Amino acid sequence: MSSQLPSNWITQHCPAPSAGQNHALDLACGAGRHSFWLAQQGWDVTALDRDLSRVDHLAHQLADQSINWQQADLETGHWPMGNQQFDLIVVVNYLHRPLFDHLRNATQSGGTIVYETFMTGNEKIGRPRSPDFLLEKDELKNIFADWGIVAFQQGPVRHGDSGITAIKQAIVAQRPLTS
């Protein structure tokens, strides 16, 4: 579908959907690589981005997948999802810190967030370079400290023999069940 493969962190750490728990949000979905992959896994996906022009809609139609494409600028101060909640939220290569409270609230009780993006140190090897778009050490772990942390990693990312390609931080956190 999308020309890029989904992130290994996402494919290795996303839970499988279950009956009644199959609503996923792909935040800042870009060209839709994770949206397509999630839909193939059985998730009912809401794919949200400020610019959906990079999505291969023909491939989406041919694949007959359940993806609800929504275009909205996430950095206006307005949360476009209202009170909707999701069983899974996926965020890759995107950071806008004012959204963290919205992401926490939009995760269903017992739901999971899978987040992976660049962190401090990446500015030495590539983009992004601005501290506004780079997580600080342990930042995701601190933001989700009151949730169940299923997996966490930070530091250099290598792809094959090409050496370090990025400095990233990633987390899988499950929102506690509420009674």
Side-chain angles (χ1 to χ4, degrees):
M1 312 307 120
S2 171
S3 59
Q4 289 186 339
L5 295 174
S7 154
N8 286 337
W9 183 259
I10 299 302
T11 60
Q12 293 171 8
H13 291 93
C14 274
S18 60
Q21 295 183 326
N22 65 341
H23 293 93
L25 172 64
D26 182 6
L27 187 82
C29 67
R33 66 183 172 139
H34 297 105
S35 302
F36 286 118
W37 184 84
L38 289 165
Q40 289 170 349
Q41 307 311 304
W43 288 96
D44 180 12
V45 181
T46 297
L48 181 63
D49 200 277
R50 70 177 179 174
D51 178 9
L52 295 175
S53 66
R54 296 181 298 150
V55 175
D56 185 347
H57 290 285
L58 178 60
H60 167 68
Q61 290 171 350
L62 294 173
D64 191 33
Q65 294 171 330
S66 180
I67 303 175
N68 175 18
W69 301 98
Q70 294 191 19
Q71 188 164 302
D73 187 342
L74 295 165
E75 298 178 15
T76 63
H78 169 74
W79 176 243
M81 304 315 297
N83 292 327
Q84 289 184 61
Q85 288 194 313
F86 299 88
D87 303 298
L88 173 66
I89 296 179
V90 170
V91 185
V92 178
N93 296 344
Y94 179 73
L95 177 62
H96 185 59
R97 287 178 177 90
L99 293 178
F100 280 126
D101 284 340
H102 294 294
L103 293 173
R104 289 172 56 88
N105 292 332
T107 305
Q108 190 77 262
S109 172
T112 302
I113 189 159
V114 183
Y115 204 121
E116 175 191 29
T117 197
F118 302 97
M119 69 175 287
T120 303
N122 195 74
E123 72 280 1
K124 296 173 185 163
I125 59 172
R127 294 183 186 274
R129 291 189 170 101
S130 169
D132 291 342
F133 307 116
L134 298 171
L135 291 165
E136 294 295 325
K137 183 177 192 262
D138 295 330
E139 188 171 351
L140 287 176
K141 194 185 322 183
N142 293 334
I143 289 165
F144 294 100
D146 58 334
W147 288 24
I149 297 177
V150 177
F152 177 81
Q153 73 178 23
Q154 61 187 353
V157 175
R158 292 174 167 67
H159 288 284
D161 296 330
S162 62
I164 297 172
T165 58
I167 310 295
K168 287 191 161 188
Q169 190 172 129
I171 197 166
V172 179
Q174 186 172 29
R175 183 175 180 172
L177 291 170
T178 54
S179 48

